[in-house]
Amino acid sequence: MATTTDVRHFLEITDLSQAELETVLERAATYKRAQERGEDHADLAGQTLGMIFQKPSTRTRVSFETGMTQLGGHAVFLGEDDIQLGRGEPLKDTSRTLSRYVDAVMARVFKHENIEVFAEYASVPVVNGLTDDAHPCQTLADLLTIREQEGGFEGVSAAWVGDGNNVAQSFVLGCALAGIDLTVATPEGYGVDDAVLERARELGGDPTVTSDPVDAVSGVDVIYTDVWISMGQEDERDVRMDAFEGFQVCSSLLEHAPEASVMHCLPAHRGEEITDNVVESEHSVVFDQAENRLHAQKALLSWLLE
């Protein structure tokens, strides 16, 4: 667990142990049931979350802000141009100042090292809302969704198809923590970082790596994909579109996993990494997955701040 003066941070999914992961997921399920029943769960009444955004967002902003409201607290949006960070203030100064005002900070930034520096100087919990290397909050929602769909993690198999990006890297580590049998199918040169695969193995996982999407998805319970062109990679579009030919999650690919749930962290580029008819099919759980960002993050925040 990453700590600063005994403060718990959540910068990567591996900042949770297996037992802590189960605790957070069970709490998320409890919050979800409470919301469905219309029950009050204002466990963070009077507390404030500062939200720093260098990258734009739909799901991250709305789920954190709504989550804090439902927990009885308050969230403050801080765009890069709204605070001195966008005018050259050192991260460590922003971190120490915000720590005097708010009870926790969520930051969505480009460089992973920036959120590590922010956490180093913070005296309140810091949550990684996304960096170029990791998206652990998404993984919490992913695992909550799989837990709901499969009734747990025992015996569950999953396939990642597409780019070995930040979402993929966190998912690889999350599957290792949860005990999910994972196969990763990426084109040559676009795979998950070797260091991430090694960390997954150290956690007890054994991710299989292939360049064959059909082989990856055959008989699995879950198929997961994400965009081929992430923010900041727009100038690589033509090269990437050529490289990812054959990696689209489409009806013909699903024939090899007829019972599989299909996941996507959204936003989806329909017609590229996934077809419109698959997103709209009975296989798709992408909107359950999106909703679960709310419940998983509420659970995470209440756990970090208890």
Side-chain angles (χ1 to χ4, degrees), residues 228-303:
W228 296 338
I229 303 154
S230 298
M231 285 180 282
Q233 298 174 337
E234 290 80 6
D235 58 345
E236 304 174 26
R237 179 175 179 80
D238 291 343
V239 173
R240 283 178 167 267
M241 290 298 290
D242 288 341
F244 286 93
E245 185 176 356
F247 282 80
Q248 185 183 71
V249 176
C250 56
S251 296
S252 60
L253 188 67
L254 287 182
E255 291 175 1
H256 302 277
E259 304 299 322
S261 298
V262 175
M263 297 172 62
H264 192 302
C265 63
L266 300 178
H269 294 168
R270 299 188 186 209
E272 292 183 10
E273 76 278 357
I274 192 167
T275 59
D276 184 80
N277 68 320
V278 168
V279 174
E280 300 294 344
S281 74
E282 62 182 11
H283 292 275
S284 173
V285 295
V286 299
F287 297 106
D288 295 320
Q289 189 183 355
E291 178 189 341
N292 282 338
R293 289 288 303 276
L294 173 65
H295 310 299
Q297 289 160 188
K298 284 162 62 177
L300 174 69
L301 289 169
S302 69
W303 180 77

Side-chain angles (χ1 to χ4, degrees), residues 103-115:
D103 299 285
V105 174
M106 184 282 297
R108 183 177 172 94
V109 300
F110 286 94
K111 295 181 180 179
H112 191 78
E113 64 190 55
N114 285 349
I115 202 165

